[in-house]
């Protein structure tokens, strides 16, 4: 028998109307719900439930019914303040909601998640299959195989003009893990983590997990969402420990030109405590004439920079879960220590596949070039389509596969049967309900004027999605003019 109670801190009224245990009212005073299951056999269950039933009305705070001399004991289920300070990822939540709708038969077009729609290139997949066949299925060194770390060093030297040795590389289960471990390794409670906005949704939450304070440095669409070095300098204090930025950017697709990075580097150089995490996961998904520059390659920045990269985006290897971080040995050793006590080393099979990926050729060769060409075609189509809409502001992305569009012109519109479009979240709910297209509200990225559209989908799906969005927005335009 399984007795299950779902509650955090709830008031329940027990009434003896039947031999069983009835909850006539159960109202949660907090938004999160935690479920417990306690297996109780035979007479123990009867005695425990009878004891609970005798309490006609009581307040239960996450209680689990257990037998201990027929007494009810309360289990403390409070969570760490660190966890309670962290928000869930809206991109994942919306992607999950869209998937549920599709599974229920609703023809939703999902443009929320940042996942290439291409299959992993055959040569990479075959390397993983061969690893399994050859029995390469055991633990690897915590930092990653020497073979892969050596290949990463070669790649960083030839493609990014940064020199590292294998002991300055840590392979992990994705670039996100690499960023988190770096934040945990270098931040102390009360430190500040500077994050240009719009930002990748996880950066501020990673700072909070390290008991540090995220400090957002906003940029606008008129600035192509690029950080102003003067703003950075004005926000630096003795508590400033980290600057995290992503180029090409998620969510905006903006690419930092070398000249701007040099200006930022000059500001960073004035502050001895300030380190930089350069998230370069989209480095090869870039559209000429834009050029990627690694921050660590700039004069004086190698010692300060932790470069994060991975295989998910460039090589369409999201499910393989593999990333890495490169930097001075002192910092990498600290990240290595954290990983050794959490996940340990990454998948041996994925690491063999990654070696094959780096062997394809410079920047992924023709295989990656083909994908980038398709992404560019999709970008050009969407930019042209949305520029036709009144009031929509567009910053043409120079990399990655996202459009970050300003739709705030339509805020304040009332829709019959739906309600008020008041912000990016309500607009995305409207587009999901009326247009059957799943997008991510800009508020998740720190800019409530915008919504993010992922064009990591087929051109035909994007064409259908654009038609649906435009139709839904034109309805808003008509209502706004009334």
């Amino acid at each position: 028998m399984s007795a299950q109670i779902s509650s955090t801190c709830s008031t329940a009224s027990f009434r003896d109307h039947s031999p069983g245990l009835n909850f006539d009212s159960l109202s949660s005073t907090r938004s999160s719900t935690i479920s417990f299951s306690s297996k109780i056999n035979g007479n123990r269950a009867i005695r425990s439930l009878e004891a609970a039933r005798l309490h006609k009305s009581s307040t239960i705070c996450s209680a689990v019914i257990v037998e201990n001399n027929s007494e009810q004991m309360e289990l403390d289920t409070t969570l760490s303040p660190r966890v309670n300070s962290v928000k869930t990822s809206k991109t994942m939540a919306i992607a999950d909601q869209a998937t549920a709708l599709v599974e229920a038969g609703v023809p939703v077009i999902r443009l929320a998640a940042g996942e290439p729609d291409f299959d992993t290139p055959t040569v990479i997949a075959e390397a993983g299959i061969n690893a399994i066949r050859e029995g390469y299925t055991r633990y690897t060194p915590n930092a990653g195989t020497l073979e892969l770390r050596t290949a990463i060093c070669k790649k960083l030297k030839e493609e990014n003009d940064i020199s590292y040795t294998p002991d300055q590389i840590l392979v992990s289960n994705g670039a996100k893990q690499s960023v988190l471990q770096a934040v945990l390794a270098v931040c102390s409670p009360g430190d500040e983590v500077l994050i240009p906005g719009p930002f990748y949704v996880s950066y501020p939450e990673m700072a909070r997990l390290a008991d540090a304070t995220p400090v957002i440095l906003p940029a606008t669409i008129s600035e192509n969402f690029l950080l102003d070095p003067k703003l950075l300098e004005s926000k630096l204090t003795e508590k400033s420990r980290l600057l995290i930025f992503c180029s090409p950017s998620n969510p905006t697709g903006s690419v930092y030109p070398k000249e701007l990075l040099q200006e930022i580097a000059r500001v960073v150089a004035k502050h001895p405590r300030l380190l930089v995490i350069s998230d370069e996961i989209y480095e090869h998904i870039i559209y000429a004439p834009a050029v990627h520059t690694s921050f660590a390659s700039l004069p004086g920045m190698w010692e300060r920079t932790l470069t994060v990269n991975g295989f998910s985006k460039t090589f369409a290897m999201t499910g393989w879960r593999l990333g890495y971080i490169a930097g001075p040995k002192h910092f990498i050793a600290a990240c290595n220590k954290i990983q050794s006590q959490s996940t340990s080393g990454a998948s041996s099979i994925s690491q063999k596949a990654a070696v094959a990926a780096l062997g394809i050729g410079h920047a992924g060769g023709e295989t990656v070039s083909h994908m980038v060409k398709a992404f560019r075609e999709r970008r050009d189509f969407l930019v042209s389509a949305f520029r036709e809409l009144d009031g929509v502001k567009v910053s043409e992305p120079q990399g990655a596969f996202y459009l970050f569009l300003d739709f705030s012109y339509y805020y304040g519109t009332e829709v019959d049967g739906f309600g008020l479009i008041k912000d990016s979240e309500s607009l995305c709910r409207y587009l999901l309900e009326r247009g059957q297209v799943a997008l991510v509200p800009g508020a998740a990225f720190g800019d409530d004027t915008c919504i993010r559209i992922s064009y990591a989908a087929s051109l035909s799906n994007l064409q259908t999605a654009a038609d649906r969005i435009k139709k839904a927005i034109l309805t808003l335009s008509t209502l706004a003019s009334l």
Side-chain angles (χ1 to χ4, degrees), residues 134-172:
E134 294 167 6
Y136 196 77
T137 56
R138 299 186 181 278
Y139 292 137
T140 72
N142 186 67
T145 66
L146 180 60
E147 178 187 31
L148 178 55
R149 286 181 288 133
T150 300
I152 290 171
C153 289
K154 182 174 183 290
K155 175 258 188 255
L156 290 172
K157 178 61 178 176
E158 294 178 354
E159 295 181 4
N160 305 85
D161 194 27
I162 327 173
S163 296
Y164 295 102
T165 54
D167 60 354
Q168 295 170 328
I169 307 292
L170 174 62
V171 177
S172 63

Side-chain angles (χ1 to χ4, degrees), residues 234-298:
S234 71
K235 295 294 184 179
L236 290 173
T237 71
E238 69 279 357
K239 295 181 180 179
S240 301
R241 182 56 171 158
L242 267 179
L243 167 65
I244 307 179
F245 67 90
C246 180
S247 178
S249 166
N250 175 9
T252 67
S254 300
V255 175
Y256 279 80
K258 186 174 183 177
E259 296 74 18
L260 180 55
L261 289 177
Q262 289 172 331
E263 290 183 48
I264 293 172
R266 282 192 283 271
V267 174
V268 171
K270 299 176 185 177
H271 297 267
R273 285 200 75 225
L274 189 60
L275 304 174
V276 176
I277 295 178
S278 180
D279 187 344
E280 303 180 9
I281 189 68
Y282 295 95
E283 66 165 330
H284 290 315
I285 303 176
I286 197 165
Y287 315 117
V291 176
H292 174 72
T293 300
S294 287
F295 195 78
S297 69
L298 301 177

